Amino acid sequence: MPRMVRCPICRAEVSWEGNPHRPFCSERCRLIDLGAWAEGRYHIPGKETKPEDKPEDDDDDESP
Ligand SMILES: [Zn+2]
């Protein structure tokens, strides 16, 4: 009898064994959960740009 878990996102019952996305039913639900977490953490009101906007300073490094 397979051990079942309930997906916290869509509430579907999925088997625990052999499920790479556990406790989620699929990668989709896993990404939804990850996205919800990231959105709550990185949401900046009034700014629709990238969450991390650090400049890459690889250009001005010319060593002779
Ligand atoms: Zn799910």
Side-chain angles (χ1 to χ4, degrees):
M1 193 171 176
R3 190 169 152 202
M4 304 296 283
V5 288
R6 202 173 279 275
C7 173
I9 301 299
C10 70
R11 301 287 174 193
E13 281 202 332
V14 288
S15 91
W16 180 264
E17 272 87 20
N19 175 14
H21 308 297
R22 65 195 186 194
F24 308 103
C25 68
S26 62
E27 189 179 16
R28 185 176 147 268
C29 282
R30 197 167 63 96
L31 291 176
I32 288 171
D33 185 72
L34 193 73
W37 176 85
E39 212 171 287
R41 180 164 177 156
Y42 295 117
H43 182 68
I44 303 165
K47 201 174 181 185
E48 297 268 318
T49 46
K50 297 177 289 183
E52 288 187 44
D53 200 44
K54 48 185 175 184
E56 294 178 26
D57 41 8
D58 288 333
D59 291 5
D60 298 317
D61 200 298
E62 293 178 31
S63 39

